[in-house]
Amino acid sequence: MRTVGVTARGIRLPIVKQGDNLADITVDSLIKARENENFSFNDKDVVAITESIVARAQGNYATINDIATDVRIKTGGNEIGLIFPILSRNRFSILLKGIAMGVKKIYLMLSYPRDEVGNALLTDDQIIASGVNPYSDVLDLKTYREKFGYRVHEFTGVDYIDYYIKLVQSVGCEIEVLFANHADAILLYCKKVITCDIHTRKYSKALLKNRGAELVLGLDEILNNPINNSGFNGDFGLLGSNKSTEDVVKLFPRDSQNLVEEIQNKMFKLTGKKIEVMVYGDGAFKDPQGKIWELADPVVSPFHTPGLKGTPNELKLKYLADNDFKNLKGSALEEAIKNNITNKSSNLVGQMASQGTTPRQITDLLGSLCDLVSGSGDKGTPVVLVQGYFDNYANE
């Protein structure tokens, strides 16, 4: 029987630049990896490409001036409330700088004790000791500092409150900071609002509109069209963007369904195998130490071939071994389980034998695996080849 299940290989690519043919580079690198490492391709292998090099090859960039222009046009350029940003030098600081350049004053409302993806301004112990109720209490900066003082982020060593204040002031914009966890608190200060949350943005927008906001925008509605021939993203705007330079942001990739299908077709012509292809960004997992939820992109996989749609349909082996076949062992147990897998229903939802399996989208599971394999540093493997993911214990 087979002794290896799922494998994931980081595939090294040349450094990809704007205008490069990413489909050809990816396919060439995969073929070279096969020759060097002596492995074979199979049907239902998965080739995953990080969103960063997709956007870079596209040239999907914009400047802080482009952001400022779009914000000025859409808000009038006077005062705005800016709510629920994440605490990030890479993800948000450059967006804040561009937004600040487009208006005269920002009311910056931070969630506490953590941002949307788990970055902590405060510890739970500090909140409990302070007597503050984060579900209802709205704090101004003076009150916040009196109660909690100054605290730097556990991993980055940055006081994000002070960092964001100085960043806004550096471009000549006024700023007032407050802390609250319900979106409509901002309306006591300003009726025009940009909501910066990622996964809760629809709720925040709906609540603000219901409570009488004059204007409500999300980051997904800024640079959702080009400004002065800039990059853009029609679906997500500034969501999923990353800092490129001090004045340039790389946006989430757009219009790349043709890329994944082109790579799939090229690989089929060269190997005769139907290989699935996806573009992935952040994985969807949580760090147990810092409590940070990794997913700061709007989705894990914005583009993928049709074979990656859906959720797993799997039986729990330990359930079968401990319950249905608890009186069997050895080869009899193996054969019984294999037979059960081979003849399983095409829809196991609600069945006890599938309890404890992961009810998540296949692309989210694969994206999390690939994000961990490729990393975000200097590994140089922006493509990951996953093999055996769709196999099971009954496959020989």
Side-chain angles (χ1 to χ4, degrees):
M1 63 180 292
R2 288 171 57 178
T3 57
V4 175
V6 179
T7 62
R9 288 183 172 88
I11 306 297
R12 288 188 175 177
L13 265 66
I15 302 300
V16 174
K17 303 291 285 186
Q18 182 174 342
D20 287 347
N21 188 320
L22 186 55
D24 285 348
I25 291 173
T26 300
V27 171
D28 289 346
S29 299
L30 286 163
I31 298 302
K32 288 178 182 176
R34 178 187 64 179
E35 294 170 352
N36 290 340
E37 301 299 324
N38 193 30
F39 63 84
S40 300
F41 292 106
N42 307 292
D43 289 326
K44 299 296 286 184
D45 285 353
V46 179
V47 170
I49 309 159
T50 183
E51 60 83 20
S52 178
I53 62 167
V54 178
R56 192 185 309 145
Q58 285 180 338
N60 202 20
Y61 294 90
T63 68
I64 53 175
N65 288 319
D66 297 326
I67 296 172
T69 298
D70 204 21
V71 168
R72 193 177 301 114
I73 291 170
K74 289 175 177 174
T75 68
N78 193 16
E79 295 185 348
I80 61 164
L82 200 64
I83 71 169
F84 301 155
I86 63 173
L87 308 175
S88 173
R89 293 167 296 174
N90 174 46
R91 288 284 191 171
F92 188 72
S93 66
I94 190 167
L95 307 186
L96 178 60
K97 187 176 181 181
I99 292 168
M101 290 170 59
V103 297
K104 294 179 181 178
K105 182 173 182 177
I106 288 176
Y107 294 93
L108 180 64
M109 191 172 89
L110 301 173
S111 58
Y112 73 101
R114 298 180 181 85
D115 69 10
E116 182 186 5
V117 296
N119 290 294
L121 285 172
L122 305 166
T123 66
D124 293 335
D125 288 343
Q126 285 178 293
I127 289 290
I128 293 169
S130 71
V132 169
N133 184 344
Y135 298 102
S136 61
D137 292 351
V138 179
L139 309 177
D140 59 22
L141 182 60
K142 181 175 182 295
T143 304
Y144 179 91
R145 289 301 194 195
E146 287 173 351
K147 288 185 174 292
F148 303 114
Y150 291 78
R151 180 180 183 273
V152 299
H153 189 279
E154 178 181 6
F155 294 142
T156 65
V158 174
D159 179 332
Y160 280 96
I161 301 167
D162 190 51
Y163 177 61
Y164 281 173
I165 290 172
K166 290 178 179 177
L167 189 62
V168 170
Q169 292 174 336
S170 72
V171 296
C173 180
E174 294 183 56
I175 182 170
E176 187 171 333
V177 181
L178 58 145
F179 305 82
N181 289 310
H182 43 100
D184 54 341
I186 194 65
L187 299 179
L188 297 173
Y189 299 81
C190 188
K191 299 293 186 181
K192 293 184 177 181
V193 185
I194 297 175
T195 178
C196 303
D197 44 344
I198 304 161
H199 307 292
T200 57
R201 65 187 184 275
K202 291 183 180 179
Y203 174 79
S204 295
K205 289 180 189 180
L207 179 62
L208 288 164
K209 291 174 182 177
N210 180 263
R211 298 296 168 83
E214 179 183 337
L215 173 72
V216 180
L217 296 171
L219 289 181
D220 55 329
E221 296 170 280
I222 300 172
L223 284 188
N224 56 346
N225 287 293
I227 297 292
N228 300 321
N229 296 315
S230 72
F232 69 99
N233 191 302
D235 295 318
F236 301 119
L238 291 176
L239 291 178
S241 59
N242 286 274
K243 183 177 182 179
S244 177
T245 72
E246 294 301 321
D247 300 312
V248 176
V249 61
K250 177 188 63 60
L251 303 173
F252 210 47
R254 66 177 195 271
D255 306 327
S256 296
Q257 188 62 33
N258 61 328
L259 172 68
V260 297
E261 292 175 2
E262 182 182 358
I263 292 172
Q264 184 180 60
N265 291 334
K266 286 178 178 291
M267 289 298 291
F268 183 78
K269 289 179 180 177
L270 289 171
T271 68
K273 303 299 181 181
K274 182 72 173 291
I275 293 172
E276 304 297 341
V277 185
M278 63 183 283
V279 175
Y280 73 97
D282 281 340
F285 49 84
K286 186 174 181 178
D287 171 60
Q289 173 66 28
K291 314 302 182 187
I292 297 169
W293 186 36
E294 174 69 10
L295 187 56
D297 285 328
V299 293
V300 172
S301 177
F303 305 101
H304 47 269
T305 48
L308 296 178
K309 294 184 183 298
T311 58
N313 188 58
E314 300 175 344
L315 294 170
K316 196 74 169 179
L317 294 191
K318 66 181 181 182
Y319 179 88
L320 295 177
D322 292 345
N323 291 272
D324 294 28
F325 308 119
K326 62 183 179 182
N327 295 321
L328 300 178
K329 61 181 180 179
S331 59
L333 176 60
E334 290 181 8
E335 288 304 314
I337 288 180
K338 288 179 180 179
N339 184 63
N340 208 268
I341 293 172
T342 301
N343 296 295
K344 67 185 176 183
S345 167
S346 60
N347 185 359
L348 294 170
V349 174
Q351 295 189 28
M352 288 299 292
S354 67
Q355 67 176 341
T357 58
T358 310
R360 292 166 55 189
Q361 293 186 101
I362 291 169
T363 50
D364 292 347
L365 293 163
L366 283 166
S368 298
L369 169 63
C370 293
D371 191 24
L372 290 168
V373 171
S374 63
S376 58
D378 57 8
K379 289 184 173 61
T381 56
V383 168
V384 176
L385 173 65
V386 180
Q387 298 187 293
Y389 186 82
F390 292 98
D391 293 347
N392 58 50
Y393 189 67
N395 295 131
E396 298 296 341

